[in-house]
Amino acid sequence: MSAPIAQVMPSRRSLLALALASTLAACARGPALVEEIDDIAYVPVDPAKAARLINAYRVESGVAPLELDRDLVRIAGDYARHLAEAGRMTHALEPFGGLEQRLKAAGYPYATAGENLGQGYRTIEQTILGWKHSPAHDRGMKDPDMTRMGIASAENPRKRGEVFWCLIVAKPRPAGATIPPFEGRHAPSPSLKLWSMPVPALFR
């Protein structure tokens, strides 16, 4: 698979969104990356298979594997479906908000968390390869601070083949800990790692 830098084409493209930032920092953006990928049928993601593929890559990179977390799978699935219904890729789709808001709304007590997004890729293999080609997304998959993961995909109900992907990685707070209702000076705030760099991918 080649990944030349080129102009974004107006049709038949895939986007890969991934951003790394602190809770209050703006998402970092990079140049558009155009990839040629096989135009094949969409295969809904199997979270267990995705975990095996991502963990194999982490182990090869000297990083401990992630545990598949059914709560994160559910949260990722809800957001992937919302993105597909909206037909738009963003880390903060209203009224659902950003990752911090979504995790808190779901009652997920995280110490740190991150999110990779993708649009247009048809299989988990294509999506992971696209994330590998993007340094920021690649760091997200291999982040040594994370211990859990959840992943999901969803197809735009009005545009066949426009698929949205959401990977959430996290390190939960200790058992019994809860996210405080506000972050005071004596209550350390959870940290977020969000990658946001558009990566159009052309089908061949």
Side-chain angles (χ1 to χ4, degrees):
M1 177 184 295
S2 58
I5 300 297
Q7 295 294 321
V8 175
M9 301 299 291
S11 63
R12 305 225 53 194
R13 67 186 184 187
S14 296
L15 299 177
L16 214 178
L18 147 182
L20 171 57
S22 67
T23 304
L24 300 179
C27 293
R29 296 189 178 277
L33 173 66
V34 177
E35 296 184 294
E36 289 186 359
I37 63 174
D38 292 329
D39 186 4
I40 59 180
Y42 165 50
V43 179
V45 67
D46 174 353
K49 177 181 178 180
R52 288 195 300 270
L53 293 174
I54 291 173
N55 282 335
Y57 183 49
R58 285 174 64 92
V59 171
E60 289 173 4
S61 304
V63 183
L66 300 169
E67 179 182 344
L68 189 61
D69 186 315
R70 64 182 181 182
D71 289 329
L72 291 181
V73 170
R74 175 179 52 80
I75 296 167
D78 288 343
Y79 197 57
R81 285 188 293 274
H82 293 320
L83 294 177
E85 290 165 3
R88 187 163 66 93
M89 184 174 61
T90 170
H91 285 282
L93 181 68
E94 294 301 330
F96 312 103
L99 181 59
E100 179 182 24
Q101 179 178 331
R102 287 180 271 120
L103 289 174
K104 287 187 175 182
Y108 192 90
Y110 67 97
T112 185
E115 180 174 75
N116 280 8
L117 299 181
Q119 177 184 345
Y121 292 86
R122 304 292 176 76
T123 67
I124 185 58
E125 290 85 358
Q126 284 184 345
T127 306
I128 289 176
L129 188 57
W131 285 337
K132 286 181 180 180
H133 286 171
S134 167
H137 288 86
D138 190 56
R139 289 195 299 272
M141 285 195 294
K142 298 187 298 186
D143 192 325
D145 292 334
M146 307 302 182
T147 60
R148 305 280 185 89
M149 67 166 278
I151 190 168
S153 64
E155 188 174 30
N156 185 331
R158 297 172 302 281
K159 189 173 181 181
R160 186 174 180 181
E162 185 177 67
V163 182
F164 292 80
W165 301 79
C166 178
L167 167 68
I168 299 176
V169 290
K171 179 180 180 179
R173 289 196 173 194
T178 58
I179 298 176
F182 62 91
E183 309 299 349
R185 60 182 295 180
H186 300 298
S189 174
S191 64
L192 295 178
K193 298 183 178 184
L194 305 173
W195 290 267
S196 190
M197 183 172 68
V199 183
L202 303 181
F203 296 114
R204 64 169 175 233

